[in-house]
Amino acid sequence: LVKLRGFSGKPVTPGDNQCLVKGNMVYSLGRPHDQGDTARLGEFESAHFGKQVRYAGTNGKFGYPDAMVLRMSTQKGESGGPLFNGSGQLVGMIVSTLYDGAGQPLNLAHAVPVRTLAGFLCTEVSCTGTWQSLPTASSCGSG
């Protein structure tokens, strides 16, 4: 988590990624290594990857239980960046780019859903309102 001192901007509004359907526009903000600030447009592909994701070379210690799949090209250095829906609501956090067996990017990326982020935030730090209701929300509603 990053805490900004003296920040006077508007806090991000969470939106439930469960309300996204295949083909919905999403966008991310990031800063790939040595390339400056970057905004990327993409499409929501799936709410689930369908299996645990573990990072190579970490003996299975690092990864996440599941992830959203995006039709979006991202680069190293953009992990941890926000993922927004077309209304500007936070729906996830970019975590990885997918590559083929030859190491070429596939124009696919993973993102941790906002429900997972809210669960962590509310357990480990503190949260209120919409953030508290996200991990257990049962239907699509306004963020």
Side-chain angles (χ1 to χ4, degrees), residues 43-129:
E43 291 182 3
F44 178 78
E45 184 69 23
S46 173
H48 303 284
F49 183 58
K51 64 180 182 177
Q52 289 187 337
V53 178
R54 296 286 177 222
Y55 291 110
T58 65
N59 295 324
K61 292 180 183 177
F62 298 102
Y64 32 92
D66 198 1
M68 296 187 294
V69 180
L70 313 168
R71 196 146 300 280
M72 172 186 280
S73 179
T74 60
Q75 295 181 11
K76 290 182 180 183
E78 292 182 61
S79 297
L83 178 71
F84 299 99
N85 63 17
S87 299
Q89 298 170 315
L90 180 73
V91 292
M93 179 180 71
I94 299 292
V95 289
S96 62
T97 298
L98 302 176
Y99 297 89
D100 67 14
Q104 297 300 309
L106 293 172
N107 194 36
L108 292 171
H110 281 155
V112 172
V114 72
R115 285 180 175 218
T116 302
L117 298 173
F120 172 81
L121 181 67
C122 294
T123 301
E124 300 298 325
V125 185
S126 67
C127 63
T128 59

